[in-house]
Structure formats: structure tokens, C-alpha cells
Amino acid sequence: DNEIGLMLSASQRIIDGLLGSFSKPGSIVFIGSHAADKVFVEQSVGYHVARGGIKSLVRYLAVTLGPVGLRCNVVSPGTVLKPENNGFFAGHGAPVQNNIERITPLSRMGNAEDIAKVVRFLCSDDSSFLTGQDLVVDGGLHLVSQEGISKKL
């Protein structure tokens, strides 16, 4: 319940509270998760439901805020290298990183900067006709079939 309330209800309240302060045309970008569409057993059911709800909230906001000049999109990163997990991947997680890189079409893991660049694009005028979308930033891994992954591993 806490995750659902934090991710959905609080997000909606913040946007409602700031609605008059947004520059128009403007952009709202959420950071999503593959947990909206896939099951990560280490995460709670609330996390999964909330992440799926973020995608629905983004679509709703895209339709309702579009007429007032606001675009709304979500960026869903794959597993990325970031300061919080660098120790893991540098140590016992090195085989995991190697496997992810083997099965990812771009043959590497992303990093926080890769995600930030997509967010920057969505906040720029270059994306002025893009709203209600979930941009998956995972080097193409979500496109690979289970069989394709199994063959590479």
C-alpha cells in the first residue's frame, strides 16, 4: 500500500499542486520499470502494481494535460550501472553483468547517463509531439525472445 500510495497518489497530488507552475508547452517525465510488465520475484506485489499504475497514470495525464500544453511520458530503464550497484557488479555480480551484456543487442549495460539523455530529450522541444509513451531504454534486451536469450547463455 505504501508503494502504491507513494508512486501513484503522491505523484498525482504533486502534479495537481504544481499544475499552475509548469511552463507551457512543458513536459512531465516519470521513471518507470520493467516491473510494470514482468515479474521480479525480489520485488513486492505493491511495487509491481504501482509500476503498472505509473504507465496508466502517464497515459491518463497525456490525454488530460495535453490540451493545456503539457506532455507526459515515462522512461523504463533496463538494468543499469549506477553508483548504488557498482560494488555488486565489480564483485560477485561480474558474471551477471557479463550475461546481461551477452544477451543485450547493444552488447553492453546502460548507465545513469544513458537514462538521463532520454529524459533530457523528452524535456526538450525535440520531443514536442510525443506524449503518453513508455520509452524502454535497455539496449534492446526487451526485444529478445526467451529462446534467443537461452541460446546465448
Side-chain angles (χ1 to χ4, degrees):
D1 288 344
N2 193 26
E3 292 175 63
I4 294 169
L6 180 64
M7 286 189 211
L8 296 175
S9 301
S11 295
Q12 183 64 53
R13 282 194 302 273
I14 290 168
I15 290 169
D16 288 345
L18 294 173
L19 199 53
S21 302
F22 285 106
S23 299
K24 297 176 184 115
S27 181
I28 299 168
V29 180
F30 283 82
I31 301 298
S33 170
H34 287 311
D37 302 306
K38 296 174 177 47
V39 175
F40 291 81
V41 294
E42 68 276 5
Q43 297 291 348
S44 70
V45 65
Y47 182 84
H48 287 82
V49 170
R51 291 304 185 164
I54 289 292
K55 287 177 64 171
S56 291
L57 178 60
V58 163
R59 290 189 299 263
Y60 175 83
L61 292 172
V63 170
T64 59
L65 297 180
V68 298
L70 292 172
R71 296 173 283 112
C72 191
N73 293 287
V74 61
V75 174
S76 294
T79 303
V80 296
L81 296 170
K82 53 191 175 187
E84 303 90 74
N85 65 17
N86 279 340
F88 170 75
F89 287 115
H92 298 302
V96 174
Q97 181 175 349
N98 290 337
N99 283 339
I100 291 172
E101 290 173 350
R102 283 177 55 198
I103 63 176
T104 300
L106 293 181
S107 300
R108 70 174 181 89
M109 286 181 63
N111 57 49
E113 187 175 335
D114 292 318
I115 307 310
K117 288 177 181 178
V118 176
V119 172
R120 184 173 53 226
F121 163 72
L122 290 173
C123 291
S124 76
D125 290 338
D126 291 341
S127 66
S128 65
F129 201 59
L130 187 66
T131 194
Q133 300 303 304
D134 178 11
L135 278 70
V136 178
V137 184
D138 69 352
L141 183 54
H142 73 283
L143 302 170
V144 182
S145 70
Q146 293 170 339
E147 293 83 3
I149 291 170
S150 295
K151 288 176 184 175
K152 284 199 170 194
L153 296 177

